[in-house]
Amino acid sequence: GAGVSQSPRYKVAKRGQDVALRCDPISGHVSLFWYQQALGQGPEFLTYFQNEAQLDKSGLPSDRFFAERPEGSVSTLKIQRTQQEDSAVYLCASSSHTSNAGELFFGEGSRLTVL
Amino acid sequence: GQNIDQPTEMTATEGAIVQINCTYQTSGFNGLFWYQQHAGEAPTFLSYNVLDGLEEKGRFSSFLSRSKGYSYLLLKELQMKDSASYLCAAPRGYQKVTFGTGTKLQVIP
């Protein structure tokens, strides 16, 4: 597609449920990022992939969070046993840059509400 | 965001000029980004300063002083559509980009 695509746009989960959020980056973009954005805050880094390799997962808040990008294109962020504090917008971004920082192209985000 | 500071809110008048400041810890950051985010939408790229000085792009300009850990975004000839949050962001290493909390700009008639 022309831009970064994320699905679902909105997800309501009961506390304790597992959720999976999908990101389809811009074709050919090697770098892929996941961010978490709480209301009124800036995006917080979660994890970074270069192709299929997860090079940095230092921002994942707990072991309930897991991300993968098995074929180096589409990525999935999985949250197990969701808690209310997981409620946020999850943004995916991709970039053509690898060895140096460059412009990030963001998707519209997946808004997760945990009841 | 950790180690990046910017004002929470600003208000400016249509047609005026506004400067949004950002300070950050100098160690470990390579350059500085500015992104615009309208409510409920994705952030979009505005500028990336790697070297010191002012870079102008239409109505928007961005300045960086690496030694002072200081940047600003200058918006000229403000329009109502410029009402948005402006995010200052710095890459730590080459890829991990850390964002500030954002400055919510309200443009009034």
Side-chain angles (χ1 to χ4, degrees):
Chain A
V4 178
S5 177
Q6 292 188 245
S7 62
R9 288 292 313 279
Y10 304 92
K11 176 69 178 178
V12 178
K14 292 183 179 178
R15 190 173 56 183
Q17 281 186 331
D18 297 349
V19 299
L21 308 176
R22 175 189 168 104
C23 173
D24 201 339
I26 291 174
S27 179
H29 276 193
V30 173
S31 297
L32 185 145
F33 305 78
W34 283 99
Y35 283 85
Q36 180 191 59
Q37 187 172 28
L39 189 64
Q41 301 295 313
E44 294 280 348
F45 173 86
L46 293 178
T47 187
Y48 162 61
F49 288 87
Q50 189 175 117
N51 294 307
E52 68 278 5
Q54 189 174 22
L55 298 186
D56 189 337
K57 55 181 181 179
S58 62
L60 295 177
S62 76
D63 59 6
R64 296 186 295 103
F65 287 70
F66 172 77
E68 60 182 3
R69 194 187 186 196
E71 298 179 358
S73 55
V74 171
S75 176
T76 303
L77 176 66
K78 297 179 180 178
I79 309 173
Q80 298 176 325
R81 304 181 302 282
T82 52
Q83 303 294 316
Q84 285 188 326
E85 61 263 28
D86 300 335
S87 295
V89 175
Y90 291 86
L91 294 167
C92 176
S94 69
S95 169
S96 60
H97 292 251
T98 55
S99 59
N100 60 294
E103 178 182 352
L104 298 179
F105 293 84
F106 283 87
E108 296 288 340
S110 292
R111 181 179 295 275
L112 172 65
T113 303
V114 181
L115 303 177
Chain B
Q2 199 170 10
N3 303 325
I4 296 178
D5 292 309
Q6 52 183 131
T8 305
E9 294 182 348
M10 296 182 72
T11 301
T13 306
E14 190 177 13
I17 299 173
V18 70
Q19 178 174 315
I20 303 174
N21 296 324
C22 172
T23 58
Y24 63 99
Q25 289 190 354
T26 56
S27 62
F29 286 133
N30 307 313
L32 198 112
F33 289 93
W34 284 96
Y35 282 81
Q36 180 191 59
Q37 186 176 27
H38 285 99
E41 298 183 10
T44 55
F45 172 84
L46 290 177
S47 65
Y48 180 37
N49 292 62
V50 178
L51 302 177
D52 290 350
L54 184 68
E55 292 196 7
E56 299 184 65
K57 191 185 297 184
R59 293 189 299 115
F60 292 8
S61 302
S62 56
F63 171 84
L64 177 67
S65 169
R66 289 172 296 171
S67 62
K68 296 181 180 178
Y70 169 67
S71 173
Y72 67 73
L73 180 69
L74 194 69
L75 290 76
K76 303 175 186 176
E77 302 169 15
L78 280 173
Q79 302 176 10
M80 298 300 291
K81 67 179 182 180
D82 297 331
S83 293
S85 286
Y86 291 86
L87 301 163
C88 170
R92 184 180 291 279
Y94 288 108
Q95 287 295 346
K96 183 176 179 178
V97 179
T98 299
F99 284 81
T101 55
T103 299
K104 186 175 181 180
L105 174 67
Q106 183 180 13
V107 180
I108 58 176

